[in-house]
Amino acid sequence: MVRTTMRITPLPIVVLVAVLALWLARGGLAQSPPPPQRALHAFEMHASFMRSSFSGVNETDARAAFGVFVRRMGEKRGYAITPHLHIVDDAEALRELLNRQTVNMVVLDSWDYLALAPLTNYPATFAAVEQGVIQEEYLVLVGADSGLTGLADLAGKQALVLRSSNTSNAGHWFRTEILALGRGAPEAFLSRLEVRGQLSQTVLPVFFGKADACAVDRQGFATMIEMNPQVGKRLKVLVQSEPYLDTLICVQLAGWERDGMRQDMMDAMLEMPNDPAGRQIMSLFKFNGMAPFEDRYIESMRALRKRHDALTGGQP
């Protein structure tokens, strides 16, 4: 008896996949319904910035990046946010706005924060961090071969002061130091005092001998040296400040529509470095992180403000 062996040829994998797909299309397995979409809570968010915080910043770019970031972070947390950004010119205008209790977040420098304090419903929540630094020193730069040895030598000279985003307090420190000389206000002591909104426009005139001195932040000076090492050779530090905190972010304490909204906003702000629009905001405003605020960060600025007010009789 002859035995025959049947050999079964396996179907190609392509055929098996096609058969399985046809079977599924005909209802071979029950299809799971798509998960229901979460309803988003509509929310009008209002953020206020001091004009000084926008110094040197492209306002159109900042508004666009802010809108994209806020909407995206809101959707992630269940909100359909309509962002509103308000820019105010001075501390009194900001005080009036905050008294209405309609602002959710405020960005301002520590000098103006102290002028408005106590802000019971808008406590300082975050401090801006630049290159790992929370408190930064300000410098008065002069030509290395100028022969100037102290601030008193600037009498009758021309000086420029940087006032840009996250460096707006340099002018307050510089003004206080000149007042402390007892030689009158800076406008009378100097032949010319001019505020500039761009770092290069503040440093390079001194570099090229078009101005006698400039007041900038240490990080800015380091940036200029990195771009052109000759800046570090042809300019020297005449006076150096204590480290000061510049920019603060205050988040509304009470008045939110829902429980947890304040914490959601703070969590979203800490995610800025992980979001493209968030990184653009940080680049525009010249910081690369935020740290939870601690009162010790503002102690040196509080002392500067007290010293300034003593010299001026409380006048701004």
Side-chain angles (χ1 to χ4, degrees):
M1 181 175 180
V2 179
R3 298 178 62 185
T4 60
T5 301
M6 290 185 61
R7 190 172 291 181
I8 300 175
T9 304
L11 291 173
I13 188 66
V14 174
V15 176
L16 289 175
V17 171
V19 171
L20 180 60
L22 180 62
W23 180 58
L24 290 173
R26 291 181 177 180
L29 290 177
Q31 300 278 335
S32 298
Q37 290 188 343
R38 178 176 55 169
L40 300 179
H41 175 71
F43 173 51
E44 303 275 334
M45 177 186 165
H46 294 265
S48 179
F49 288 72
M50 286 291 292
R51 178 72 61 184
S52 58
S53 298
F54 263 82
S55 183
V57 176
N58 184 301
E59 187 173 324
T60 301
D61 290 346
R63 287 182 179 276
F66 177 76
V68 171
F69 174 75
V70 166
R71 284 189 287 267
R72 187 151 53 214
M73 290 297 104
E75 289 174 1
K76 183 178 178 180
R77 290 164 172 81
Y79 306 106
I81 296 180
T82 302
H84 303 276
L85 196 152
H86 310 274
I87 304 175
V88 296
D89 291 324
D90 53 50
E92 288 309 311
L94 180 58
R95 188 193 302 276
E96 183 179 337
L97 186 63
L98 296 183
N99 285 339
R100 301 174 196 164
Q101 303 292 326
T102 57
V103 176
N104 307 113
M105 181 183 75
V106 183
V107 180
L108 73 170
D109 62 50
S110 56
W111 183 271
D112 287 326
Y113 172 81
L114 291 171
L116 294 167
L119 293 175
T120 307
N121 199 37
Y122 294 92
T125 310
F126 296 107
V129 180
E130 183 181 2
Q131 303 299 323
V133 175
I134 296 175
Q135 298 167 293
E136 187 167 18
E137 300 158 343
Y138 301 122
L139 312 172
V140 173
L141 305 175
V142 297
D145 58 355
S146 64
L148 303 175
T149 60
L151 204 62
D153 293 338
L154 293 182
K157 305 293 185 182
Q158 301 177 0
L160 307 175
V161 175
L162 176 63
R163 185 173 68 187
S164 66
S165 179
N166 208 30
T167 318
S168 56
N169 286 331
H172 299 305
W173 165 72
F174 184 58
R175 180 178 183 82
T176 303
E177 291 300 318
I178 291 180
L179 287 169
L181 295 174
R183 306 269 294 273
E187 293 80 4
F189 176 71
L190 301 164
S191 65
R192 179 168 66 96
L193 176 62
E194 188 175 335
V195 176
R196 297 283 177 90
Q198 297 291 339
L199 177 64
S200 61
Q201 295 174 357
T202 310
V203 175
L204 291 182
V206 183
F207 178 79
F208 289 115
K210 303 297 183 182
D212 298 298
C214 65
V216 299
D217 60 308
R218 182 173 290 281
Q219 291 281 358
F221 186 38
T223 298
M224 292 299 296
I225 293 174
E226 185 177 344
M227 295 172 60
N228 183 357
Q230 288 298 315
V231 170
K233 296 177 181 179
R234 292 176 57 179
L235 298 182
K236 70 176 182 179
V237 176
L238 186 71
V239 187
Q240 172 182 311
S241 78
E242 292 183 62
Y244 293 115
L245 170 66
D246 199 284
T247 302
L248 284 168
I249 299 95
C250 304
V251 179
Q252 184 183 23
L253 192 59
W256 296 90
E257 296 177 11
R258 289 182 170 186
D259 292 339
M261 290 183 75
R262 183 175 191 266
Q263 187 61 50
D264 284 340
M265 174 179 283
M266 293 192 295
D267 291 344
M269 292 172 69
L270 290 174
E271 289 185 23
M272 268 192 179
N274 304 321
D275 181 83
R279 289 193 295 273
Q280 184 181 5
I281 293 171
M282 295 165 72
S283 176
L284 287 168
F285 288 94
K286 299 179 179 63
F287 69 99
N288 56 9
M290 287 186 293
F293 174 78
E294 297 180 25
D295 192 66
R296 62 188 177 93
Y297 296 154
I298 205 170
E299 287 179 357
S300 58
M301 181 55 70
R302 188 178 284 122
L304 177 68
R305 177 105 207 185
K306 184 177 180 180
R307 183 171 169 233
H308 173 274
D309 290 350
L311 291 166
T312 63
Q315 295 300 313

